Amino acid sequence: MLFFLWTRLALLMSTALAKPTSFNHSKAKRTGQTIEWVPCTSINNDLVQCANISVPLDYTDPSSNDEHILELARSPAINSPSKGSILLNFGGPGGDDIGQFANGAVLETLHRNTGGYHDLVTFRTRGTGGNLVFSCYDTLAQRALEFCRHKPDDVFPMVPESWEALDAEVANYWKDKQIFANRCLRRNKDNPIGALVGTTFVARDMMQIVDALGEDGLLRYWGFSYGTVLGATVAALFPDQVGRVILDSAASAVYYYEALPRSREDFADYESATRRFMLSECLKAGPKLCPLAADVDTSRPDKIEILTSRIDSLMDRLGRSPPIVNDTIIFKSTIDPLYDALIKTASPGYYSFAAFLLHELLNNRTDIAAEWAKKWDVVNVPEVRAHDAHPAILCGDRVGDNSHGRPDNLQDMIQEIRQVGESQGHVRAVELAQETLYCAKWPFASKEAFNSSLLKVEGGLVTRNPILVLSNTYDIVTPIHAARDLSSRLAGSVLLEQRAIGHGTVHFSVSECTRSAIESYFLNGTLPAPGTVCHLDKNMFQTEDKELVSGDSMFVKMPRIPDLTQFNLRARDFI
């Protein structure tokens, strides 16, 4: 989750930028529909059913009869009788919730963690499909061409080759965002969609679903990453209808809406602590499970520092002089994603392989790395989406009443980013660049601005039922500090900390403590004791071979691991 700095942009309602409107949520129009579930025609999963319902297109205009068709997907409870429905959002904003939901492994994990007595339901959020697609391009071909010419939002390098390279990236990013914003404005200046896809409207859509389900009128919900912002928004707007709500890999909703810069606490020593935890787990696992453990004398008290230094030196060499192996260049940027996977992406199937590949490179063996580089070059082509919902939602939420200014001087911004990087690390520098520049030129504001003061009440927001917040101890994307902040704003909520690395707790089905806490909450409303810390049932490097086939998950897509048989032989038997 990225947090950005903004400015207020104000134009007339008739122009592309609509002034955010304060809205009394108690007057929201309700459709009073029922849902008819049918077999899906666009999803290759017989266990998933589909449906559509109509919701108001513009909740700020009760006189309008215009509608938005909301697409739903459901996986019925695997146990009976069903105890109702749990709504799901997998993050974003602007993600493919239905596509991720249809993944059989994901559904199996979610049913197992919730106890199997609930129907699981997700929906396509505004701007991403149906009759409400926000796009800045006329054709997919045009979009693909522009993605080749300009840097899309998800390809900013997390590990710059040098500070000078980062300076250049920042300048290019600034220009690309200007070009992109201008394009979106030209194509949509007479189109109201940009003002109708914000998070507040999506929250209202969720309560339309709750009504249409015809159950007890209470929201049961499990949101991940950005989905925690969405969940906090619903809770603030409809506190009396909060049933059982889990906010997993939680972000600070106030920071999100107000585009506040994250505190130094978020990143000061955080990346270093995460790497230390990963390497300590590696050394505990031993070289047969984590080959990097063979690259340091484990009897030394400073073994983690030595191993860290060796890896840093390796990455520096790859940046300065990438080797050529079998007509393939092993760039630092092709190895970074694996190193990054060890601390960020919560892809257990990649831990042992990433450690193995780094071990091979540390010992000047490059054949597997070359094969990986070929795979990465294929899979690392930027995804050409059919919409631009991500900036429309994210930036629209922050332009206007919630805005706290934008950078106007690029050179000053470059200098600040450099200073932050030198004191807090390269990840924080890149994060700051994205936070500051991503939406600075965005021309559309959500029509209904969320009132973040609802989450600033003394003693916290009081909801009908208390909320459960989940976070890994070492989550680089949404640090646990953000989860603590969110929990502190929700009266009676409990933060469960899982002592693990990665973004999202459900990737680690090896923590029975976490799984049982989730199940007990959804089945009985039982919260874990305040201060509960759950540990994994096995070391993060103890994954079965079948888990190493693919790195696909809710939050990350990686190529299939190359030469798995050879990897197994060499990784398990090299000592």
Side-chain angles (χ1 to χ4, degrees), residues 162-236:
S162 66
W163 292 120
E164 290 75 16
L166 179 60
D167 293 348
E169 291 286 351
V170 168
N172 289 336
Y173 196 71
W174 170 278
K175 295 173 184 176
D176 287 341
K177 293 303 120 182
Q178 283 185 307
I179 293 170
F180 181 64
N182 291 339
R183 167 178 286 281
C184 294
L185 179 59
R186 286 195 304 271
R187 189 178 189 275
N188 294 281
K189 62 182 179 180
D190 299 318
N191 187 340
I193 291 180
L196 301 174
V197 298
T199 298
T200 307
F201 276 13
V202 176
R204 300 193 185 285
D205 290 343
M206 288 175 61
M207 297 314 297
Q208 295 277 317
I209 298 172
V210 170
D211 283 355
L213 286 168
E215 297 170 351
D216 57 7
L218 299 181
L219 172 68
R220 284 172 289 276
Y221 174 72
W222 192 353
F224 305 89
S225 195
Y226 159 79
T228 66
V229 174
L230 178 58
T233 303
V234 179

Side-chain angles (χ1 to χ4, degrees), residues 27-279:
K27 297 180 180 179
K29 181 173 65 176
R30 298 301 180 90
T31 62
Q33 299 175 87
T34 58
I35 301 177
E36 297 182 7
W37 298 102
V38 298
C40 299
T41 58
S42 59
I43 295 177
N44 186 26
N45 188 329
D46 293 338
L47 300 178
V48 178
Q49 302 167 334
C50 290
N52 293 336
I53 64 170
S54 298
V55 300
L57 179 65
D58 184 354
Y59 288 96
T60 66
D61 185 3
S63 66
S64 173
N65 292 319
D66 293 336
E67 295 181 333
H68 166 47
I69 306 301
L70 204 59
E71 301 175 39
L72 312 178
R74 177 179 76 163
S75 175
I78 59 177
N79 297 322
S80 60
S82 172
K83 296 180 179 294
S85 301
I86 298 173
L87 270 62
L88 297 154
N89 180 279
F90 298 104
D96 181 9
D97 292 287
I98 290 181
Q100 295 183 76
F101 183 78
N103 183 305
V106 171
L107 283 178
E108 180 183 353
T109 298
L110 294 173
H111 277 301
R112 181 175 64 248
N113 280 269
T114 58
Y117 283 95
H118 289 87
D119 300 334
L120 304 180
V121 177
T122 192
F123 63 101
R124 200 177 301 284
T125 54
R126 290 173 175 242
T128 65
N131 68 330
L132 199 62
V133 178
F134 182 84
S135 177
C136 299
Y137 301 91
D138 295 321
T139 66
L140 282 175
Q142 184 185 64
R143 180 188 299 275
L145 180 61
E146 287 301 306
F147 266 48
C148 292
R149 290 176 175 171
H150 304 290
K151 186 178 296 300
D153 60 88
D154 56 354
V155 189
F156 204 99
M158 288 306 296
V159 185
E161 303 290 344
S162 66
W163 292 120
E164 290 75 16
L166 179 60
D167 293 348
E169 291 286 351
V170 168
N172 289 336
Y173 196 71
W174 170 278
K175 295 173 184 176
D176 287 341
K177 293 303 120 182
Q178 283 185 307
I179 293 170
F180 181 64
N182 291 339
R183 167 178 286 281
C184 294
L185 179 59
R186 286 195 304 271
R187 189 178 189 275
N188 294 281
K189 62 182 179 180
D190 299 318
N191 187 340
I193 291 180
L196 301 174
V197 298
T199 298
T200 307
F201 276 13
V202 176
R204 300 193 185 285
D205 290 343
M206 288 175 61
M207 297 314 297
Q208 295 277 317
I209 298 172
V210 170
D211 283 355
L213 286 168
E215 297 170 351
D216 57 7
L218 299 181
L219 172 68
R220 284 172 289 276
Y221 174 72
W222 192 353
F224 305 89
S225 195
Y226 159 79
T228 66
V229 174
L230 178 58
T233 303
V234 179
L237 295 177
F238 303 93
D240 294 335
Q241 291 180 265
V242 170
R244 291 161 191 171
V245 171
I246 290 183
L247 306 179
D248 192 337
S249 53
S252 169
V254 171
Y255 279 28
Y256 170 87
Y257 280 112
E258 297 188 356
L260 297 173
R262 282 185 278 184
S263 67
R264 178 179 172 82
E265 183 186 24
D266 270 1
F267 278 89
D269 300 323
Y270 194 73
E271 181 188 356
S272 174
T274 301
R275 294 191 190 280
R276 285 186 62 87
F277 177 81
M278 178 272 293
L279 291 176

Side-chain angles (χ1 to χ4, degrees), residues 299-343:
S299 66
R300 295 184 58 118
D302 57 349
K303 52 186 173 291
I304 292 179
E305 288 75 13
I306 292 175
L307 190 52
T308 299
S309 177
R310 290 199 64 190
I311 295 173
D312 288 344
S313 296
L314 167 67
M315 303 305 282
D316 182 62
R317 290 197 305 274
L318 292 176
R320 287 185 288 103
S321 181
I324 300 175
V325 181
N326 299 328
D327 298 325
T328 299
I329 303 176
I330 304 176
F331 289 108
K332 177 175 179 283
S333 57
T334 62
I335 304 303
D336 279 334
L338 274 175
Y339 193 22
D340 202 36
L342 289 171
I343 67 165

Side-chain angles (χ1 to χ4, degrees), residues 249 274 343-346 351 472 474-476 500-505 508:
S249 53
T274 301
I343 67 165
K344 179 179 177 183
T345 57
Y351 289 146
N472 284 331
Y474 303 103
D475 184 338
I476 290 291
I501 288 175
H503 189 46
T505 61
F508 296 94

